[in-house]
Amino acid sequence: MLIVMKPRATAHEIDAVVDLITEIGLRAHPMPGATRTAIGITGNEGPIDGRRFENLPGVAEVIRVTKPYKLVTLDLRPDKTVVRVGGATIGGSELAIIAGPCAIESREQAFAVAKTVQKSGARFFRGGVWKPRTSPYTFQGLGDKAWQILTEIRDTFGVKIVTEAVEESHVDLIEKYGDVIQIGARNMQNFSLLKRAGRSKVPVLLKRGMAATLEEWLLAAEYIMAEGNYNVILCERGVRTFAQHTRNTLDLAAVPAIRRISHLPIIVDPSHGTGTAYMVTPLARAGIAVGADGLMIEVHNRPELALSDSAQALTPAEYAQLIEEVHAIRNVMARAGCGLNAS
Ligand code: PEP
Ligand code: MN
């Protein structure tokens, strides 16, 4: 159920609807938009009788939601969500670049990469503290020791820190020392982790599961939003197919497909999406051309020495060139009037 308020509905009228929703044991999600506020309702297992809301002051319309998701949709919020992280934004007019190594390996490595990333204008630095590795015998990340390095990087370069929470207790540490909680592909349907991230005030970057349909991905975002955290960024990172020329198949059609359904920002990760350094730049260009709000790119000062995802890491020089190219593409798109919003 979705309650659309009249454009001139007062804060008092909106509060009265929210109070009634709470009083009947449900949860209200008011979403202010450019022209009106809509209020999503969750917590019901069966249908709700919407007629009780119809005559409340300020209510324009009561809409039954027939789709499986309620909060991620353009029905609730026709304007794109712009996620704000300090002064940086994802989903607005600026191209969001999240770059850094797969994992934080040492102070020297992290600083060398952070310097490159900041020089290119990126506002977000990524780097795994805890790594979800396929094999238990490979490098699992520095763990808590990485926070000292990340804290220094944040202070020195003024970048926002994006790192993956592999389990619920990691969210506490990201809330303390980081800026964006990444939920990885392997955990896209770890529902207790999603709910924990949903109770956080920190924005969440939700990667697509490697075998997830768009509906499953959006329902994972719904888990986070249903807990009250509306700052969700989707990240397409490729899915498993029969193809053997890439690590994953980067599904760029997901970008316009998501735009048609959801107000959430969406970025593309061509590093995990291809698994091979020489393909990262071409697919990054394509990701921007298809309308993504930003990119996640893995960079290493010495890719040949990287302790994880070595084959897909760009050198600082390759990364700098990529950034120049994607900005040029974005500028052409802006001049050509390409719609970067819902299509
Ligand atoms: C990562 O970003 O380092 C990562 C592990 O990505 P994914 O969850 O997409 O595999
Ligand atoms: Mn990686």
Side-chain angles (χ1 to χ4, degrees):
M1 179 89 35
L2 170 62
I3 299 177
V4 180
M5 302 300 292
K6 289 178 182 161
R8 268 191 282 279
T10 64
H12 187 71
E13 288 167 342
I14 295 168
D15 286 348
V17 175
V18 168
D19 288 347
L20 177 59
I21 294 168
T22 313
E23 206 178 329
I24 59 175
L26 303 175
R27 182 157 185 169
H29 302 267
M31 297 271 171
T35 52
R36 45 76 158 168
T37 290
I39 306 168
I41 305 178
T42 61
N44 56 303
E45 277 166 10
I48 309 168
D49 180 2
R51 282 169 306 179
R52 69 174 93 218
F53 297 104
E54 271 171 11
N55 299 315
L56 294 181
V59 171
E61 205 183 348
V62 177
I63 300 172
R64 257 196 68 211
V65 180
T66 50
K67 295 170 188 133
Y69 24 71
K70 305 175 178 193
L71 305 176
V72 300
T73 65
L74 289 165
D75 301 331
L76 180 64
R77 195 188 159 99
D79 325 298
K80 259 181 83 177
T81 288
V82 179
V83 173
R84 287 171 209 286
V85 191
T89 58
I90 306 177
S93 55
E94 87 178 304
L95 198 54
I97 306 290
I98 303 173
C102 181
I104 302 301
E105 299 170 1
S106 67
R107 193 174 183 281
E108 187 196 359
Q109 169 247 20
F111 266 74
V113 180
K115 202 168 155 202
T116 304
V117 163
Q118 187 219 28
K119 214 167 112 197
S120 73
R123 314 280 292 267
F124 299 91
F125 181 74
R126 61 147 291 149
V129 170
W130 309 278
K131 293 307 299 177
R133 302 303 303 281
T134 302
S135 164
Y137 307 121
T138 52
F139 178 60
Q140 306 283 307
L142 288 184
D144 295 349
K145 278 188 288 206
W147 283 122
Q148 178 62 37
I149 300 169
L150 283 172
T151 302
E152 283 180 43
I153 284 184
R154 197 195 205 189
D155 293 346
T156 310
F157 300 103
V159 284
K160 306 288 171 203
I161 304 296
V162 181
T163 203
E164 178 173 348
V166 179
E167 51 186 69
E168 284 170 61
S169 65
H170 296 165
V171 175
D172 301 317
L173 289 158
I174 299 173
E175 284 172 334
K176 217 162 154 187
Y177 304 115
D179 300 291
V180 176
I181 303 161
Q182 179 172 322
I183 304 282
R186 290 157 193 78
N187 273 314
M188 190 206 81
Q189 284 190 316
N190 179 338
F191 300 116
S192 55
L193 182 60
L194 295 173
K195 287 195 225 170
R196 172 64 188 88
R199 290 193 296 274
S200 181
K201 302 251 181 301
V202 177
V204 181
L205 186 138
L206 178 65
K207 288 194 145 194
R208 180 179 181 183
M210 56 188 87
T213 62
L214 291 201
E215 187 169 303
E216 288 162 341
W217 189 14
L218 288 169
L219 285 170
E222 194 80 23
Y223 262 93
I224 299 167
M225 296 179 73
E227 296 293 328
N229 188 346
Y230 308 126
N231 288 313
V232 178
I233 306 129
L234 300 170
C235 177
E236 163 60 36
R237 50 76 74 203
V239 289
R240 279 276 167 85
T241 66
F242 54 83
Q244 290 176 333
H245 59 289
T246 51
R247 179 179 179 185
N248 292 291
T249 296
L250 192 63
D251 176 13
L252 291 178
V255 176
I258 290 282
R259 284 263 189 275
R260 184 162 278 210
I261 304 169
S262 178
H263 52 83
L264 294 176
I266 176 166
I267 68 164
V268 166
D269 170 358
S271 302
H272 296 87
T274 64
T276 308
Y278 82 89
M279 290 185 182
V280 171
T281 300
L283 272 295
R285 290 189 213 116
I288 294 310
V290 85
D293 294 301
L295 296 169
M296 170 173 273
I297 307 288
E298 285 192 349
V299 188
H300 200 288
N301 55 330
R302 299 279 308 276
E304 68 281 12
L305 297 182
L307 298 179
S308 59
D309 287 351
S310 145
Q312 70 196 34
L314 297 190
T315 62
E318 288 166 340
Y319 167 74
Q321 175 69 23
L322 174 154
I323 293 299
E324 233 176 80
E325 294 177 13
V326 296
H327 278 299
I329 292 169
R330 181 81 164 193
N331 290 341
V332 168
M333 290 172 73
R335 280 204 301 277
C338 300
L340 294 175
N341 288 309
S343 53

